[in-house]
Amino acid sequence: MNSGRKATRRGLGFWMTLALVVGNLIGSGIYLLPATLAPLGTNQLIGWLVTIGGALCLAVVFARLGAKLPLAGGPYAYASAAFGPLAGFATAWSYWTMIWAGNGAIAVAVVSNLSLIAPWIGKTEGVPALLSVACVWLLTAVNIRGVRAAGEVSLVTSALKLMPLVLLIALALWLALSGAPHVVQPPVPIAAGAIATAAGLTFWGFLGLESATVPADKVENASTVVPRATLIGTVLTGVVYLGISLAFYAYMPTGQAAASPAPVADFLGAHFGGHVASVVAVFAAISAFGTLNGFILLQGEVPWAMARGGVFPAWFGKESSRGTPTRAHIVSSILLSCVTLMNFSRGLGDLFQFIASVSLAAGMLSYLMAMLAAIRLLPAERLLTVVALIGAAFIVWAAWGLGEKALGYGALFVLAGVPVYWVVRLRQDAMR
């Protein structure tokens, strides 16, 4: 697969690529997740370990594929190379729809956090929806301007989003070293079901670990930078997630954490004063904003790669003078704006949640196909084959946790894209 882009254009260096991975992994959800996980007790820590182990298996496979096959499109490129264009299309279709549908929730999270600082936003009808869509198109414009501009936004927002999280972990370490007594948590039995629930909740914190592989043709020295950024980004994120979970388990009562609408702010506020809540809300908004930027980059790159690979309308494969897939960005952001507005429209909130859950179920296919592609494309690497099989088993287990209904609709969602593939292929055959 030829990227078709000029090698002379400046692309993403290591730090920007690493920021893309970390920025896409760490969103605003981590600011709320401690409250969701608190009732699970020790099960949440085991769940984190299981998820981090599974995520590392996925990261190793993506890193190796990125080193051996630095192709644009990430999971799509690997599935297409291993199993042909139809498998590549199904993988890319599921991955693309997962991104733009999921971005709707991220856009809403940006404004939700801003409303904690400026309550009038939430109280003024229509303003939250308009601000969410404004964020979408502001970042779409940044990505259309060029990959360097998007990379710079990722670099700044990733650095900022880590500050309160690192501060929380540092505070917990200081408490531990100073001999502060641990909180005695109520006993919660360790159970397979509870661990599975915890793993299901925490796995979504690792969606996007493949981010560096998608714009691989825009990464400088991609065969080296992509695998390094993928592995380091995943490990760094896992350390941050586990550190936060341990801090809450050791120093905040389960009931207090579970009842808190802003657990990270409450944890820091208990030691630095109540005014910290507003500051943390600012960082949570920045975190979501940075994640939205990174995934908007991906939602434009995927249909571009599909078009260049001949499995999507060629119209999506056109580029601007800056080498960006402008058309793909615009169409993706129109779809993203629609699902974002659904979240604010009376009677459509449930539809928004339905689209999000179904797209996530469908998107699991892209991760599974990448694992299977690694086994097919790199058969001589036996250790990688074992890691890929473990990664595939983890994906199947995590997908099972979504429930039969979500998986069934997700399968229909993937099948709904097949007619698009056949129309494109028939047109290509007619033109030959």
Side-chain angles (χ1 to χ4, degrees):
M1 293 175 64
N2 184 7
S3 70
R5 289 180 177 167
K6 296 179 181 179
T8 56
R9 288 195 181 105
R10 292 187 69 198
L12 299 170
F14 171 73
W15 290 108
M16 286 186 178
T17 308
L18 177 62
L20 176 65
V21 176
V22 173
N24 282 3
L25 288 175
I26 301 178
S28 62
I30 189 59
Y31 289 86
L32 301 174
L33 199 54
T36 306
L37 293 173
L40 296 174
T42 308
N43 293 287
Q44 66 170 300
L45 301 179
I46 301 173
W48 271 119
L49 292 174
V50 171
T51 299
I52 290 171
L56 287 175
C57 287
L58 301 182
V60 166
V61 174
F62 276 111
R64 192 60 182 158
L65 287 170
K68 288 287 189 178
L69 301 167
L71 305 172
Y76 155 69
Y78 309 139
S80 184
F83 305 112
L86 179 57
F89 171 83
T91 300
W93 177 267
S94 65
Y95 185 69
W96 179 50
T97 52
M98 179 182 71
I99 294 172
W100 59 255
N103 278 352
I106 300 173
V108 171
V110 176
V111 178
S112 295
N113 283 291
L114 289 177
S115 66
L116 297 176
I117 311 162
W120 64 268
I121 293 176
K123 297 177 181 179
T124 308
E125 187 175 356
V127 170
L130 291 175
L131 286 178
S132 296
V133 173
C135 288
V136 168
W137 288 100
L138 172 61
L139 291 174
T140 300
V142 169
N143 277 272
I144 288 175
R145 179 177 175 80
V147 67
R148 292 287 296 187
E152 288 165 0
V153 171
S154 289
L155 193 59
V156 173
T157 54
S158 294
L160 290 174
K161 73 171 59 181
L162 286 173
M163 291 175 62
L165 304 178
V166 171
L167 177 61
L168 190 152
I169 295 172
L171 172 60
L173 286 173
W174 179 80
L175 291 172
L177 294 174
S178 63
H182 292 182
V183 172
V184 179
Q185 304 287 12
V188 178
I190 296 176
I195 294 172
T197 298
L201 290 169
T202 55
F203 175 69
W204 304 118
F206 286 95
L207 290 178
L209 61 85
E210 75 294 336
S211 294
T213 68
V214 177
D217 64 316
K218 290 184 172 183
V219 176
E220 297 172 355
N221 192 18
S223 61
T224 299
V225 169
V226 168
R228 285 177 59 201
T230 300
L231 288 172
I232 294 174
T234 304
V235 171
L236 176 60
T237 300
V239 169
V240 170
Y241 284 163
L242 187 59
I244 291 172
S245 187
L246 286 169
F248 273 88
Y249 187 76
Y251 297 109
M252 180 173 275
T254 293
Q256 183 181 344
S260 174
V264 171
D266 286 345
F267 189 103
L268 294 175
H271 298 273
F272 299 112
H275 61 280
V276 169
S278 296
V279 177
V280 171
V282 171
F283 281 99
I286 292 171
S287 182
F289 189 76
T291 302
L292 183 62
N293 172 68
F295 277 112
I296 283 178
L297 170 63
L298 302 191
Q299 75 176 22
E301 288 293 316
V302 172
W304 175 88
M306 293 168 71
R308 289 301 179 100
V311 297
F312 215 51
W315 184 86
F316 285 87
K318 301 295 182 182
E319 296 177 323
S320 69
S321 59
R322 294 177 178 271
T324 57
T326 302
R327 295 178 177 181
H329 273 307
I330 290 174
V331 172
S332 297
S333 288
I334 289 173
L335 294 170
L336 166 55
S337 297
C338 290
V339 297
T340 301
L341 291 172
M342 284 178 183
N343 193 63
F344 296 102
S345 300
R346 182 175 299 176
L348 290 179
D350 291 340
L351 179 60
F352 173 87
Q353 295 297 331
F354 173 77
I355 292 175
S357 62
V358 170
S359 65
L360 286 172
M364 299 296 277
L365 175 65
S366 61
Y367 290 94
L368 178 61
M369 291 299 291
M371 297 302 103
L372 299 179
I375 297 171
R376 179 74 177 272
L377 296 173
L378 304 172
E381 300 190 17
R382 295 183 179 179
L383 180 59
L384 184 70
T385 296
V386 173
V387 174
L389 286 171
I390 295 173
F394 175 75
I395 289 298
V396 171
W397 180 64
W400 170 76
L402 291 174
E404 295 179 0
K405 185 176 181 180
L407 290 175
Y409 279 114
L412 291 175
F413 201 74
V414 173
L415 291 174
V418 174
V420 177
Y421 168 81
W422 287 115
V423 169
V424 172
R425 300 295 287 185
L426 288 172
R427 285 185 177 180
Q428 289 179 342
D429 291 341
M431 293 174 63
R432 291 173 183 169

